[in-house]
Structures are given as C-alpha cells and as structure tokens.
C-alpha cells in the first residue's frame, strides 16, 4: 500500500541504475531525477522536490499522478517491499526512476 502526502512535486532522471540509499529525490534542472534509483526500508517516505524551472509530476506504478510546481515537493510512503517505478508524465522520455523498498 502506498500512502501519499501531496505538497507539490516534479520530474527528471539520471542514467545511473545503481541504487542510492536516500529518501530524497531532486527534480534537478535538465529534466532529470537525481538520484533516479534509490533504496529505502519498508515504511519510509520518499520526498521528491522540484528544483527545476518547470512543473513536473511524480507517478508511481499506476498510482495517482502528483503535479509538482517549481520549488514544491510531494511525499509518498512505501509500506510494502518491492521495486516501484516512477515517472514524470509530462516528460516521460527523460524523467523516470526506481524506488527499491527492502
């Protein structure tokens, strides 16, 4: 089950597929998530922050799409282990990533 707290959020992706242990993802300039592949523990919340000049979104594996304006963020809690893919639906060609929940 995913619990979502929408504050506001954005998109972007790096090319690295090596998981980084963090609960914070930046929607950095140049249409990318940084880092784009993260690893967290079950029950932790990931926060995506839009540091870009454009609006982005965060959509996790078929869940609701969360619009994230410039300077805003969105937080999503991951209650079950697994691998979850996410994307900015406005810039899906460039902005996508993965959350690995242990």
């Amino acid at each position: 089950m995913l619990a979502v707290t929408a504050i506001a959020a954005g998109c972007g992706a790096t090319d690295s597929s090596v998981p980084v242990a963090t609960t914070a993802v930046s929607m950095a300039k140049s249409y990318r998530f940084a880092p784009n592949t993260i690893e967290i523990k079950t029950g932790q919340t990931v926060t995506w922050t839009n540091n870009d000049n454009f609006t982005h979104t965060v959509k996790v594996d078929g869940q609701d799409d969360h619009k994230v304006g410039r300077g805003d963020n969105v937080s999503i809690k991951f209650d079950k282990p697994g691998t979850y893919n996410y994307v900015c639906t406005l810039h899906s060609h460039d902005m996508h990533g993965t959350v690995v929940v242990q």
Side-chain angles (χ1 to χ4, degrees), residues 10-14 27-28 31-34 36 56 86 88 94-96:
C11 309
T14 63
M27 294 175 232
Y31 295 97
R32 61 188 178 89
F33 289 110
N36 71 323
H56 295 292
Y86 63 89
C88 171
D94 298 314
M95 298 181 74
H96 46 83

Side-chain angles (χ1 to χ4, degrees), residues 71-92:
D72 292 333
N73 62 63
V74 66
S75 296
I76 300 174
K77 184 175 181 182
F78 293 82
D79 291 327
K80 293 184 179 180
T83 299
Y84 299 86
N85 296 303
Y86 63 89
V87 64
C88 171
T89 58
L90 301 174
H91 311 105
S92 60

Side-chain angles (χ1 to χ4, degrees), residues 1-4 40-46 76-82 84 99 101-102:
M1 169 185 245
L2 294 178
V4 177
I40 64 170
K41 294 179 181 173
T42 300
Q44 287 189 301
T45 299
V46 176
I76 300 174
K77 184 175 181 182
F78 293 82
D79 291 327
K80 293 184 179 180
Y84 299 86
V99 178
V101 183
Q102 299 291 317

Side-chain angles (χ1 to χ4, degrees), residues 17-86:
S17 61
V18 176
V20 174
T22 185
T23 59
V25 177
S26 172
M27 294 175 232
K29 294 183 179 181
S30 301
Y31 295 97
R32 61 188 178 89
F33 289 110
N36 71 323
T37 303
I38 64 170
E39 184 175 273
I40 64 170
K41 294 179 181 173
T42 300
Q44 287 189 301
T45 299
V46 176
T47 300
W48 286 264
T49 302
N50 187 352
N51 296 308
D52 200 353
N53 294 322
F54 305 98
T55 297
H56 295 292
T57 69
V58 174
K59 184 172 184 172
V60 178
D61 279 340
Q63 299 295 319
D64 291 338
D65 197 6
H66 303 279
K67 187 175 180 179
V68 186
R70 186 173 153 195
D72 292 333
N73 62 63
V74 66
S75 296
I76 300 174
K77 184 175 181 182
F78 293 82
D79 291 327
K80 293 184 179 180
T83 299
Y84 299 86
N85 296 303
Y86 63 89

